[in-house]
Amino acid sequence: MTSYDAIIIGTGQAGPALARRLAGAGMTVAIVERGRFGGTCVNTGCTPTKTLVASAYAVHVARRGADYGFSAGEITVDMKRVKARKDYVVGLSNHGVERSLRSLENCTVCQGQARFVSPREVEVGTEVLSADRIFINVGGRAAVPEIPGLDQIDYLTNSSMMDLDFLPQHLLVLGGSYIGLEFGQMYRRFGSEVTIVEVGPHLVPREDEEVSQTIAAFLGREGIDVRTNARCLSVSKKDGGIALQLSCEPGPTEVIGSHLLLATGRRPNTDDLGLDRAGVKVDKRGYIEVDDQLATSVPGIWALGDCNGRGAFTHTAWNDYEIAAANLLDGEHRRVSDRIAAYALYTDPPLGRAGMTEAEVRKSGRPALVGRIAMEDVSRAYEKGETEGFMKILVDAESKQILGATFLGASGDEAIHCVLDTMYAKAPCTVLQRAMHIHPTIAEFIPVILGDLAPLPPLQD
């Protein structure tokens, strides 16, 4: 048995940063990785998908050359080169994480599957590690739904999509949220036929309906077949392809494609950690139960990142690291509940979100004000020829605190931070309204929106 001051299981977004802080404070640290360094974000999530999104965007703009006064001729896509570019970018990040950990003083890298032996002991292969502090950062993976016939076909997930170096003739996407929409749009732009099947009444169910309708509209204009209110009853091989049998209305009850991508959700990588031997509690979905400071049911064990169910994004995992490090090393009392919900969807145009949706504001019953502008009325968007979408901000009518914002449009994923930072500062919206923003930008219209607030109207029957 080898003893350390701390053991970190997993090298996703939170793990390596925490290892650097702990080792820098003089602690001996063991960090365990069973697969590729960097976790989901680096290997099968943010880094590769946004690299692919960038390639697809370039293809899309080239095809629109006539709109900008030029002709690029016939546009062809070499998927082997697209994949090679993606692999190169991923490799830089992946190898960078590994190199930084292996060169870190006071840190030992252990490769293999980690399993708890007791609340203070973890086995990795034939070696047993012990520590008084253990941090679990094991991330998640694609959830595979129970659909009759699924076990009889080859299907894709966000991870196996990374291996494609060819263009599917017709990509079927089961699931109409972040992963499904990003892959669906990029592969349509690469040249595939694409059908997106969503069981709910509209895409990205957590968003306001106008967001979902706007996204469905611009995807439809790109030639993507969007099917909502469509439950998949079974999957089978047919005519050399894959057939989905749907329960839906309206539209055909069968759709046939060449490849199937499952994008129906995520599950935590907690089922093979031996958590029961440590006494660590999980919920019915397998997420590790944590308190507001990320401590598990066992003193001395914390869970960070996607495996704790308190966030499903790289930035929430990073914030988990910041909370744990600040509380342990800096004498602070940071909490998960202090952070404001914020995320982006990287369709084109992207969606930037902060705080509450309009539906959540209405449900709260508080008096609210709303300001809105269509992207076609934003000069920078018009100049760029990218006028899909809108920007909307919701404000508490009494305190003038910003409650939430939705920016679906060009640079929406960046401009949203103007609002998010104001919310963290707990400043009234008038502070942002009176700011002088640079022209011409997308963000310059945020003060304009705030200067045109009106009472949130009642819902129309």
Side-chain angles (χ1 to χ4, degrees):
M1 183 183 297
T2 307
S3 296
Y4 297 88
D5 293 319
I7 298 170
I8 300 171
I9 304 174
T11 63
Q13 190 68 9
L18 183 60
R20 287 189 284 272
R21 279 298 315 270
L22 297 178
M27 296 185 189
T28 56
V29 179
I31 188 163
V32 185
E33 177 54 60
R34 68 177 179 181
R36 289 178 289 182
F37 288 79
T40 296
C41 177
V42 165
N43 296 290
T44 61
C46 312
T47 298
T49 58
K50 278 47 185 181
T51 305
L52 292 171
V53 165
S55 292
Y57 176 76
V59 171
H60 180 65
V61 172
R63 288 200 179 108
R64 291 185 59 205
D67 294 344
Y68 297 97
F70 71 92
S71 174
E74 182 182 357
I75 305 299
T76 59
V77 178
D78 184 341
M79 290 304 296
K80 292 187 185 303
R81 292 178 64 186
V82 169
K83 180 180 182 296
R85 176 178 179 271
K86 179 266 297 180
D87 290 343
Y88 174 75
V89 174
V90 168
L92 291 177
S93 297
N94 172 283
H95 298 317
V97 172
E98 182 174 1
R99 279 196 304 269
S100 69
L101 289 173
R102 291 193 182 279
S103 63
L104 182 62
E105 188 177 356
N106 294 331
C107 180
T108 300
V109 175
C110 303
Q111 289 194 265
Q113 171 65 49
R115 290 186 176 87
F116 279 91
V117 177
S118 73
R120 294 292 175 267
E121 298 169 318
V122 175
E123 63 179 6
V124 182
T126 59
E127 187 177 7
V128 176
L129 318 176
S130 70
D132 288 334
R133 302 179 184 90
I134 300 176
F135 302 87
I136 306 170
N137 177 222
V138 293
R141 63 188 186 275
V144 178
E146 294 183 2
I147 301 174
L150 191 59
D151 59 341
Q152 302 299 311
I153 68 161
D154 293 326
Y155 56 81
L156 298 160
T157 67
N158 70 294
S159 296
S160 55
M161 287 292 289
M162 296 299 105
D163 298 326
L164 294 192
D165 62 357
F166 62 89
L167 192 65
Q169 179 183 353
H170 186 168
L171 181 64
L172 305 177
V173 181
L174 196 57
S177 195
Y178 307 91
I179 293 172
L181 297 185
E182 289 179 19
F183 275 114
Q185 186 181 44
M186 77 169 73
Y187 271 88
R188 178 57 187 155
R189 290 180 168 187
F190 289 146
S192 297
E193 291 183 62
V194 174
T195 300
I196 297 176
V197 177
E198 166 59 39
V199 66
H202 53 80
L203 300 175
V204 276
R206 74 161 69 180
E207 303 302 331
D208 290 326
E209 190 170 349
E210 66 175 329
V211 172
S212 303
Q213 290 175 346
T214 302
I215 293 173
F218 66 67
L219 293 180
R221 282 191 285 274
E222 291 193 31
I224 296 174
D225 183 16
V226 176
R227 303 288 305 277
T228 53
N229 277 319
R231 184 165 62 92
C232 185
L233 300 177
S234 66
V235 182
S236 62
K237 297 178 182 179
K238 185 173 183 179
D239 299 333
I242 297 171
L244 304 184
Q245 298 298 326
L246 306 177
S247 172
C248 58
E249 188 176 336
T253 57
E254 181 181 74
V255 58
I256 300 176
S258 61
H259 295 78
L260 172 63
L261 167 63
L262 299 181
T264 53
R266 306 281 290 171
R267 60 175 296 183
N269 292 326
T270 57
D271 45 342
D272 56 2
L273 289 176
L275 294 175
D276 55 331
R277 287 185 284 183
V280 175
K281 293 182 180 179
V282 298
D283 66 17
K284 61 182 180 180
R285 296 184 298 163
Y287 289 98
I288 298 173
E289 296 181 356
V290 295
D291 65 14
D292 211 20
Q293 295 184 320
L294 303 167
T296 70
S297 57
V298 177
I301 301 179
W302 293 261
L304 316 177
D306 293 5
C307 67
N308 64 24
R310 302 296 293 270
F313 303 101
T314 295
H315 52 277
T316 53
W318 179 265
N319 188 242
D320 283 358
Y321 141 69
E322 292 179 316
I323 291 170
N327 293 342
L328 185 62
L329 300 175
D330 302 332
E332 297 186 21
H333 298 283
R334 294 181 62 173
R335 303 173 300 175
V336 176
S337 58
D338 289 335
R339 65 191 180 202
I340 298 167
Y343 49 86
L345 165 64
Y346 293 93
T347 51
D348 176 32
L351 168 69
R353 282 274 297 105
M356 303 170 74
T357 64
E358 181 178 318
E360 290 170 336
V361 171
R362 290 183 182 278
K363 187 176 180 180
S364 73
R366 70 182 74 192
L369 306 173
V370 63
R372 190 182 189 281
I373 190 170
M375 293 305 292
E376 64 184 3
D377 295 326
V378 175
S379 54
R380 184 66 188 279
Y382 198 81
E383 292 151 6
K384 287 166 63 72
E386 298 178 359
T387 56
E388 301 277 9
F390 61 91
M391 294 193 289
K392 177 173 64 175
I393 303 175
L394 294 146
V395 173
D396 187 288
E398 297 174 351
S399 69
K400 299 301 185 290
Q401 298 279 317
I402 298 175
L403 300 175
T406 300
F407 291 179
L408 175 57
S411 301
D413 54 328
E414 294 286 350
I416 195 70
H417 290 91
C418 296
V419 174
L420 184 61
D421 292 345
T422 304
M423 295 174 71
Y424 271 113
K426 301 185 186 304
C429 68
T430 50
V431 171
L432 185 53
Q433 178 190 345
R434 294 167 183 168
M436 183 184 72
H437 284 194
I438 297 167
H439 173 80
T441 61
I442 301 298
E444 72 172 310
F445 278 83
I446 295 174
V448 175
I449 296 170
L450 292 172
D452 195 29
L453 294 174
L456 184 64
L459 286 174
Q460 300 296 318
D461 294 331

